[in-house]
Amino acid sequence: MMIRALWPALASLGAGLVLFATAAGAPTLIGILVGIAAAVELAWAFAVLRAGRLVMPRAAVSGGAIGILGSGFLLLTGPLALIPFLALFVFHWSIAIAAVVELRAKHAERRPAEHSAPAPRRQRRAGAFTIALVIEAMLVAAIATPALAASEAGEFAVPHGTLHSGH
């Protein structure tokens, strides 16, 4: 079950990082609100990783929708560029979809199955988890890195490989 919860947790981590970068370049009030949203993203991601399952899936569906609407607002008002918006859209949309799938699975488990034996629980191997973790972490990095670079904080970052005079 942990593999199913891994992507939403990693997507939430990526969204939190993009939101923190957005907060760094936003006006004070908006920056504080976006920073709080980023902290909530990170807290939820850590809760999911700790529990090994999606926690508060109904709130995750709502949070995904609010995240999409909020990032759209930030795009239209200026603190968010197009590439970070697209990254946040992908992260929040996928979190909401994963939460809907989780809710449907819970609903299906509650209904008594007629004339069917309970499905045997499969034990996952550590190798499958590790492969899923690496692939999903690479996807989050591929989505979040351009978004971080396109943020205002990323624009002022010193390029890697350049010398820092006087440091």
Side-chain angles (χ1 to χ4, degrees):
M1 185 109 141
M2 178 61 184
I3 290 178
R4 194 164 76 191
L6 190 58
W7 171 257
L10 293 176
S12 188
L13 285 172
L17 292 175
V18 172
L19 287 172
F20 272 130
T22 302
T28 304
L29 180 60
I30 292 174
I32 290 170
L33 295 174
V34 172
I36 291 170
V40 169
E41 291 270 6
L42 294 181
W44 184 80
F46 292 134
V48 170
L49 290 172
R50 176 140 171 80
R53 61 177 178 74
L54 257 64
V55 295
M56 303 181 305
R58 284 190 193 341
V61 173
S62 300
I66 291 168
I68 290 170
L69 293 173
S71 59
F73 172 77
L74 292 173
L75 175 68
L76 294 175
T77 58
L80 191 63
L82 181 61
I83 293 173
F85 166 77
L86 292 173
L88 288 171
F89 180 85
V90 168
F91 288 144
H92 289 126
W93 179 78
S94 63
I95 291 167
I97 294 299
V100 166
V101 168
E102 182 71 19
L103 288 170
R104 290 185 57 95
K106 282 184 179 181
H107 181 69
E109 288 174 0
R110 286 188 199 136
R111 281 191 280 149
E114 294 179 14
H115 307 292
S116 64
R121 295 198 84 122
R122 293 186 312 170
Q123 197 136 31
R124 303 225 187 248
R125 288 191 248 160
F129 176 80
T130 304
I131 290 170
L133 176 64
V134 168
I135 290 170
E136 292 176 7
M138 288 170 50
L139 283 171
V140 168
I143 295 168
T145 301
L148 293 170
S151 69
E152 189 172 331
E155 288 178 22
F156 294 110
V158 176
H160 295 292
T162 60
L163 296 176
H164 305 276
S165 60
H167 290 102

